């Protein structure tokens, strides 16, 4: 028997496999036993009703998909009155993902959402372009990340997970800022900004022009970020980006992730979410691991490669980038 349980701060998960925000709904109970998941992560909710972005909102890529959904939501009232009770029919902890345009509203939303007894964790989506003024993205700047996280931290004693953006120039600095402001865990990460053009129509393939890329193509980039961030922070890091099979889960954990979230693959093959849990137990058993948590950060660092990596130039500089909402 392999112990698949992991701890994300004070939150105990029976296994490290969770759906990513925006990729999951309780309708999936038709094709899987939702109670087997490590946690349930809801679609991002904001205060007001949002209609979302113009269609088409998604397009296929060779390496995954590009989306700009625009965070459609019926708003916080509907979420608390209808969606949370729907999730509460299932046993895994519920992670509510919140978005806001200002630090004030993030704080107020946190108070309201965290007050619901069936919400176990607040995931802070600062990695979509909701910031007012400017439609920017809080997770592109250390100071914005710090300020928002600090306000959220002050508004609840429930665990706060901050979801970072791979579009930040220096994702490590952003992760450190979130930790210093009191985050309990980091989710690395949201989608990578991209553009697909339809060469028959000469128009962007999706209605909002730019979109966020997810799926297998982004995996090595996010694995690298998970590794870099987890080396610098003490809080747990949750890996998210392009996970399609059990080997990807293992790779993220070796890089430093304590748990993972799956998005793209749910659209391709929803039931794989649960199949991967069994495959993870099998993978550990075959290799003699009694606890999956032993994999976290177990990548062996070659000292020579480390010396070269330390001398390399920093990857990008923090600059403002417009990132479409997922
Ligand atoms: C259609 C779609 C909708 C998404 N909606 C959200 C969302 O509401 N909130 C959020 O934080 N991330 C959202 N994401 C990003 C995913 O949660 C995840 O971070 C990203 O897709 C990378 O994981 P993947 O490569 O496994 O898909 C969305 C992604 C997709 C593809």
């Amino acid at each position: 028997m392999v112990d698949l349980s992991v701890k994300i701060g004070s939150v105990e998960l029976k296994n490290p496999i969770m759906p990513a925000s925006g990729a999951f709904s309780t309708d999936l109970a038709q094709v899987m036993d939702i109670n087997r998941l490590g946690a349930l992560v809801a679609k991002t909710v904001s205060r007001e009703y949002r209609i979302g972005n113009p269609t088409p909102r998604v397009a296929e890529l060779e390496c995954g998909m590009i989306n700009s959904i625009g965070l459609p939501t019926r708003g916080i009232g509907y979420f608390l009155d209808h969606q949370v009770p729907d999730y509460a029919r299932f046993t895994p902890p519920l992670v509510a993902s919140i978005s806001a345009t200002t630090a004030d509203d993030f704080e107020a939303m946190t108070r309201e959402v965290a007050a619901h007894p069936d919400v176990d964790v607040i995931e802070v989506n600062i990695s979509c372009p909701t910031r007012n003024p400017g439609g920017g993205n809080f997770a592109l700047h250390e100071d914005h990340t710090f300020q928002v996280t600090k306000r959220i931290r002050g508004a609840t004693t429930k665990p706060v997970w901050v979801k970072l953006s791979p579009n930040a120039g220096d994702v490590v600095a952003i992760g450190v800022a979130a930790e210093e402001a009191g985050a309990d865990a980091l989710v690395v990460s949201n989608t990578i900004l991209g553009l697909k053009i339809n060469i028959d129509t000469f128009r962007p393939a999706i209605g909002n022009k730019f979109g966020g890329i997810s799926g297998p193509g982004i995996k090595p980039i996010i694995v690298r970020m998970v590794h870099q961030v987890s080396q610098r922070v003490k809080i747990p890091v949750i890996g998210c980006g392009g996970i399609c099979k059990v080997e990807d889960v293992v790779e993220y954990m070796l890089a430093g992730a304590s748990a993972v979230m799956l998005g793209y693959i749910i659209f391709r093959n929803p039931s794989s979410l649960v199949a991967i849990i069994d495959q993870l137990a099998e993978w550990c058993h075959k290799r003699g691991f009694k606890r999956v948590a032993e994999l976290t950060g177990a990548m062996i660092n070659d000292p020579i490669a480390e010396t070269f990596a330390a001398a390399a130039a920093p990857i990008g500089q923090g600059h403002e980038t417009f990132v479409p909402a997922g």
Side-chain angles (χ1 to χ4, degrees):
M1 282 297 285
V2 176
D3 178 3
L4 288 183
S5 68
V6 294
K7 278 189 83 172
I8 307 296
S10 60
V11 188
E12 299 215 12
L13 308 183
K14 58 178 170 285
N15 64 68
I17 309 296
M18 297 175 263
S21 179
F24 182 78
S25 105
T26 52
D27 290 344
L28 290 174
Q30 292 169 41
V31 293
M32 70 176 77
D33 179 1
I34 289 182
N35 288 330
R36 294 210 50 212
L37 298 173
L40 308 182
V41 185
K43 169 84 184 164
T44 299
V45 62
S46 51
R47 176 165 302 287
E48 307 295 344
Y49 170 88
R50 282 171 64 104
I51 196 163
N53 285 337
T55 57
R57 292 173 171 179
V58 295
E60 265 193 82
L61 301 173
E62 283 159 30
C63 64
M65 67 190 272
I66 181 166
N67 90 82
S68 185
I69 308 285
L71 297 178
T73 172
R74 296 202 198 187
I76 189 174
Y78 184 86
F79 176 72
L80 294 174
D81 294 344
H82 298 280
Q83 288 174 292
V84 173
D86 182 42
Y87 278 109
R89 296 184 291 125
F90 302 95
T91 55
L94 174 59
V95 181
S97 168
I98 61 167
S99 166
T101 57
T102 63
D104 283 347
D105 196 29
F106 258 119
E107 180 183 334
M109 290 233 358
T110 301
R111 284 190 200 287
E112 288 170 58
V113 173
H116 198 298
D118 291 324
V119 170
D120 299 291
V121 175
I122 307 292
E123 182 176 272
V124 186
N125 180 1
I126 51 168
S127 36
C128 284
T130 54
R131 195 172 149 259
N132 190 10
N137 173 324
F138 290 92
L140 297 185
H141 293 276
E142 291 149 69
D143 50 348
H144 296 158
T145 300
F146 182 86
Q147 285 156 17
V148 165
T149 308
K150 187 102 189 141
R151 296 285 294 275
I152 290 169
R153 175 72 290 158
T156 182
T157 54
K158 285 190 177 173
V160 171
W161 298 355
V162 176
K163 187 165 180 180
L164 306 188
S165 169
N167 302 302
D170 184 354
V171 73
V172 175
I174 308 285
V176 169
E179 178 182 45
E180 285 174 352
D184 295 289
L186 304 173
V187 180
V188 180
S189 71
N190 216 308
T191 52
I192 299 183
L193 185 67
L195 170 65
K196 176 178 178 171
I197 301 169
N198 180 331
I199 60 159
D200 293 321
T201 64
F202 283 32
R203 293 176 187 281
I206 54 173
N208 196 42
K209 187 164 149 180
F210 300 124
I213 302 174
S214 59
I218 71 170
K219 196 194 78 182
I221 302 170
I222 313 297
V223 169
R224 183 264 295 172
M225 290 184 177
V226 162
H227 182 63
Q228 289 178 313
V229 172
S230 66
Q231 296 265 296
R232 285 289 304 282
V233 299
K234 294 192 181 63
I235 54 177
V237 173
I238 297 164
C240 178
I243 296 172
C244 296
K245 52 190 192 306
V246 66
E247 289 81 1
D248 301 333
V249 176
V250 173
E251 204 177 336
Y252 266 101
M253 294 190 75
L254 294 178
S258 297
V260 292
M261 292 177 177
L262 284 64
Y264 166 82
I265 193 62
I266 299 181
F267 296 101
R268 288 289 301 270
N269 178 10
S271 59
S272 61
L273 198 54
V274 165
I276 281 177
I277 299 170
D278 295 329
Q279 290 158 6
L280 187 58
E282 218 172 289
W283 193 97
C284 290
H285 178 69
K286 273 196 187 141
R287 286 158 182 84
F289 289 99
K290 294 207 160 41
R291 295 173 54 240
V292 72
E294 290 171 54
L295 297 178
T296 296
M299 183 182 89
I300 297 166
N301 282 304
D302 173 353
I304 297 173
E306 285 297 292
T307 311
F308 277 101
I315 301 151
Q317 299 298 325
H319 57 270
E320 189 72 48
T321 316
F322 177 74
V323 185

